[in-house]
Amino acid sequence: MDPHYSNVGDCRLVELPQIRNSAGNLTALNGGQDIPFPIARVYYIYDVPGGSVRGGHAHRDLLQIIISLSGSFEVVLDDGKTKKTISLNKPNIGLLVCPGIWRDLQNFSSGSVCLVLASLPYFEADYIRDYNKFLEWKF
Ligand code: T46
């Protein structure tokens, strides 16, 4: 997908497998199978103070799946024309975020944990952290 032409409609919720038994649930994620790309990096966000907003950037090439492992938060997706707010609050639901989409993460509940599976290693040059530059790059 050309990230210059991606839009919020290309981002979607992905149902992740759950193995349930009387002792609880387990979710195993295999890159390229349960996740639609090979996983190059995993990171997680936690201890977010109330009212904090994270994100505030787009990626040129990176694909990600964002999962709420515990608690809840919202992801605001923005393709420069349309914004869409997605609430995440289930550890078996991931949000696939395409390249070329601005994202903000907000309304973190107390104790929430955000897990992110990323298609590429951390590379600061892949970030667009200025919204006007994002619009210039996109259009
Ligand atoms: C995204 C949202 C959901 C690293 O050194 N390695 C890493 O893999 C990451 C993700 C970050 N960092 C450093 C870069 C900054 O100095 O950690 C610091 C905080 O990163 P950032 O301000 O980008 O964090 P968020 O929560 O605003 O954004 C992160 C991801 O960067 C981003 O790709 O989509 O989570």
Side-chain angles (χ1 to χ4, degrees):
M1 173 189 307
D2 183 334
H4 294 275
Y5 296 102
S6 62
N7 62 64
V8 295
D10 297 321
C11 303
R12 60 186 164 89
L13 293 173
V14 177
E15 187 163 357
L16 307 170
Q18 256 190 334
I19 302 167
R20 297 164 170 265
N21 68 33
S22 57
N25 301 333
L26 185 153
T27 292
L29 302 174
N30 298 282
Q33 293 175 38
D34 311 297
I35 301 296
F37 52 80
I39 300 166
R41 177 168 51 109
V42 175
Y43 61 91
Y44 42 100
I45 298 167
Y46 53 99
D47 289 347
V48 180
S52 296
V53 178
R54 301 195 63 109
H57 56 254
H59 286 281
R60 291 179 166 83
D61 293 318
L62 186 72
L63 264 169
Q64 299 196 111
I65 294 260
I66 302 178
I67 303 164
S68 173
L69 281 193
S70 182
S72 62
F73 54 86
E74 293 172 344
V75 184
V76 183
L77 303 170
D78 178 355
D79 58 22
K81 287 187 177 158
T82 304
K83 285 190 186 190
K84 191 171 174 186
T85 300
I86 309 280
S87 296
L88 293 176
N89 56 14
K90 291 190 178 80
N92 68 320
I93 299 289
L95 173 63
L96 175 69
V97 182
C98 308
I101 302 291
W102 189 270
R103 84 287 317 269
D104 289 304
L105 281 72
Q106 64 186 25
N107 289 333
F108 286 85
S109 68
S110 173
S112 56
V113 180
C114 167
L115 177 76
V116 184
L117 310 175
S119 64
L120 296 169
Y122 174 70
F123 187 39
E124 185 57 37
D126 187 62
Y127 285 75
I128 306 171
R129 293 188 184 268
D130 179 292
Y131 190 73
N132 288 326
K133 287 191 178 139
F134 167 66
L135 294 179
E136 280 170 26
W137 176 83
K138 194 84 179 157
F139 301 111

